[in-house]
Coordinates of all heavy atoms in Angstrom, one line a residue:
R74 N 7.3 18.0 72.4 CA 7.2 19.4 72.5 C 8.0 20.2 71.5 O 7.9 21.3 71.2 CB 7.5 19.9 73.9 CG 9.0 19.8 74.2 CD 9.4 20.4 75.4 NE 10.8 20.2 75.7 CZ 11.8 21.0 75.2 NH1 11.5 21.9 74.3 NH2 13.1 20.7 75.5
S83 N 4.1 20.0 68.7 CA 4.7 21.1 69.4 C 3.8 22.4 69.4 O 3.7 23.1 70.4 CB 6.1 21.5 68.8 OG 5.9 22.1 67.5
R84 N 3.1 22.5 68.3 CA 2.1 23.6 68.3 C 1.0 23.5 69.3 O 0.6 24.4 70.0 CB 1.5 23.8 66.9 CG 0.6 25.0 66.7 CD 0.0 25.0 65.3 NE 1.0 25.0 64.3 CZ 1.3 24.1 63.5 NH1 0.6 22.9 63.5 NH2 2.2 24.2 62.5
L85 N 0.6 22.2 69.5 CA -0.5 21.9 70.5 C 0.1 22.1 71.9 O -0.5 22.6 72.8 CB -1.0 20.5 70.3 CG -2.2 20.1 71.0 CD1 -3.4 20.9 70.5 CD2 -2.5 18.6 71.0
H86 N 1.4 21.7 72.1 CA 2.0 21.8 73.4 C 2.3 23.3 73.7 O 2.1 23.7 74.9 CB 3.4 21.1 73.4 CG 4.0 21.0 74.7 ND1 3.7 20.0 75.6 CD2 5.0 21.7 75.3 CE1 4.4 20.2 76.7 NE2 5.2 21.2 76.6
A87 N 2.6 24.1 72.8 CA 2.7 25.5 72.9 C 1.4 26.2 73.4 O 1.4 27.0 74.3 CB 3.3 26.3 71.7
G88 N 0.3 25.7 72.7 CA -1.0 26.2 73.2 C -1.4 25.9 74.5 O -1.9 26.7 75.3
D89 N -1.0 24.6 75.0 CA -1.3 24.2 76.3 C -0.5 25.0 77.3 O -1.0 25.4 78.4 CB -1.0 22.7 76.5 CG -2.0 21.8 75.8 OD1 -3.1 22.4 75.5 OD2 -1.8 20.6 75.6
T90 N 0.8 25.3 77.0 CA 1.7 26.1 77.8 C 1.1 27.5 78.0 O 1.1 28.1 79.1 CB 3.1 26.1 77.3 OG1 3.6 24.8 77.1 CG2 4.0 26.9 78.2
Y91 N 0.7 28.0 76.9 CA 0.1 29.4 76.9 C -1.1 29.5 77.9 O -1.1 30.4 78.8 CB -0.3 29.8 75.5 CG -1.1 31.1 75.5 CD1 -0.4 32.4 75.5 CD2 -2.5 31.2 75.4 CE1 -1.1 33.6 75.5 CE2 -3.2 32.3 75.3 CZ -2.5 33.5 75.4 OH -3.2 34.7 75.4
H92 N -2.0 28.5 77.8 CA -3.1 28.6 78.7 C -2.8 28.3 80.1 O -3.4 28.8 81.1 CB -4.2 27.6 78.2 CG -4.9 28.0 76.9 ND1 -5.7 29.1 76.9 CD2 -4.8 27.6 75.6 CE1 -6.2 29.3 75.7 NE2 -5.7 28.4 74.9
L93 N -1.8 27.4 80.3 CA -1.3 27.1 81.7 C -0.7 28.3 82.3 O -1.0 28.5 83.5 CB -0.2 25.9 81.6 CG 0.3 25.4 82.9 CD1 0.6 23.9 82.7 CD2 1.5 26.1 83.3
V94 N 0.1 29.0 81.6 CA 0.8 30.2 82.2 C -0.2 31.3 82.3 O -0.3 32.0 83.4 CB 2.0 30.6 81.3 CG1 2.6 31.9 81.9 CG2 3.1 29.5 81.3
R95 N -1.0 31.5 81.3 CA -2.1 32.6 81.4 C -3.0 32.4 82.5 O -3.4 33.4 83.1 CB -2.8 32.6 80.1 CG -3.7 33.8 79.9 CD -4.3 33.8 78.4 NE -5.1 35.0 78.2 CZ -6.4 34.9 78.3 NH1 -7.0 33.8 78.8 NH2 -7.1 36.0 78.1
A96 N -3.5 31.2 82.8 CA -4.4 30.9 83.9 C -3.8 31.3 85.2 O -4.6 31.8 86.1 CB -4.8 29.4 83.9
I219 N 10.6 28.9 82.8 CA 11.0 28.3 81.6 C 12.6 28.6 81.4 O 13.0 29.7 81.7 CB 10.3 28.8 80.4 CG1 10.6 27.9 79.1 CG2 10.5 30.2 80.1 CD1 9.7 28.1 78.0
A305 N 2.7 35.2 78.7 CA 2.3 33.8 78.4 C 2.7 33.4 77.1 O 3.2 32.2 76.9 CB 0.8 33.6 78.6
A306 N 2.5 34.2 76.0 CA 2.9 33.9 74.7 C 4.5 33.7 74.6 O 4.9 32.9 73.9 CB 2.4 34.9 73.7
Y307 N 5.2 34.6 75.4 CA 6.6 34.5 75.3 C 7.2 33.2 75.8 O 8.0 32.5 75.3 CB 7.2 35.7 76.1 CG 8.7 35.8 76.1 CD1 9.4 36.5 75.0 CD2 9.5 35.1 77.1 CE1 10.8 36.6 75.1 CE2 10.9 35.3 77.1 CZ 11.5 36.0 76.0 OH 12.9 36.1 76.0
I308 N 6.6 32.8 76.9 CA 7.0 31.5 77.5 C 6.6 30.3 76.7 O 7.4 29.4 76.5 CB 6.3 31.3 79.0 CG1 7.0 32.4 79.9 CG2 6.6 29.9 79.5 CD1 6.4 32.3 81.3
A309 N 5.4 30.4 76.1 CA 5.0 29.3 75.2 C 5.8 29.2 73.9 O 6.0 28.2 73.4 CB 3.4 29.5 74.8
K310 N 6.3 30.4 73.5 CA 7.2 30.3 72.3 C 8.4 29.5 72.5 O 8.8 28.8 71.6 CB 7.5 31.8 71.9 CG 8.6 32.0 70.8 CD 9.0 33.4 70.6 CE 10.1 33.5 69.6 NZ 10.5 34.9 69.5
Y311 N 9.0 29.6 73.6 CA 10.3 28.9 73.9 C 10.2 27.5 74.3 O 11.1 26.8 74.3 CB 11.1 29.7 74.9 CG 11.8 31.0 74.2 CD1 11.2 32.2 74.3 CD2 12.9 30.8 73.5 CE1 11.8 33.3 73.7 CE2 13.6 32.0 72.8 CZ 13.0 33.1 73.0 OH 13.5 34.2 72.4
V312 N 9.0 27.1 74.8 CA 8.8 25.8 75.3 C 8.9 24.7 74.2 O 9.2 23.6 74.4 CB 7.5 25.6 76.0 CG1 6.3 25.4 75.1 CG2 7.5 24.5 77.0
T313 N 8.7 25.1 72.9 CA 8.8 24.2 71.8 C 10.1 24.2 71.1 O 10.3 23.4 70.2 CB 7.7 24.6 70.7 OG1 8.0 25.9 70.2 CG2 6.3 24.7 71.3
I376 N 12.3 21.9 80.7 CA 12.2 23.2 80.0 C 11.2 24.1 80.7 O 11.4 25.3 80.7 CB 11.8 22.9 78.5 CG1 11.9 24.2 77.7 CG2 10.5 22.3 78.4 CD1 13.3 24.7 77.5
L377 N 10.2 23.5 81.2 CA 9.2 24.3 82.0 C 8.8 23.6 83.3 O 8.7 22.4 83.4 CB 7.8 24.3 81.2 CG 6.7 25.1 81.9 CD1 6.9 26.6 82.0 CD2 5.3 24.8 81.2
Y383 N 0.3 26.9 91.2 CA 0.4 28.0 90.3 C -0.9 28.1 89.5 O -1.5 29.1 89.4 CB 1.6 27.9 89.5 CG 1.6 29.0 88.4 CD1 2.0 30.3 88.7 CD2 1.3 28.8 87.0 CE1 1.9 31.4 87.8 CE2 1.3 29.7 86.1 CZ 1.6 31.0 86.5 OH 1.5 32.0 85.5
S384 N -1.2 27.0 88.8 CA -2.4 27.0 87.9 C -2.8 25.5 87.6 O -2.6 24.7 88.4 CB -2.1 27.8 86.6 OG -1.2 27.1 85.8
Y387 N -1.0 20.1 82.6 CA -1.1 19.7 81.2 C -2.1 18.6 81.0 O -2.9 18.5 80.1 CB 0.3 19.1 80.8 CG 1.3 20.2 80.3 CD1 2.5 20.3 81.0 CD2 1.0 21.2 79.4 CE1 3.4 21.3 80.6 CE2 1.8 22.2 79.0 CZ 3.1 22.2 79.6 OH 3.9 23.2 79.3
L390 N -5.5 20.0 80.9 CA -5.8 20.7 79.7 C -6.1 19.6 78.6 O -7.0 19.9 77.8 CB -4.6 21.6 79.3 CG -4.4 22.8 80.2 CD1 -3.1 23.5 79.8 CD2 -5.6 23.8 80.0

Side-chain angles (χ1 to χ4, degrees):
R74 68 168 180 83
S83 72
R84 188 182 298 112
L85 194 66
H86 190 82
D89 287 346
T90 301
Y91 172 80
H92 288 291
L93 184 149
V94 176
R95 186 174 184 268
I219 189 170
Y307 184 86
I308 293 178
K310 171 186 175 182
Y311 282 98
V312 79
T313 62
I376 188 70
L377 175 72
Y383 174 77
S384 68
Y387 281 122
L390 291 172

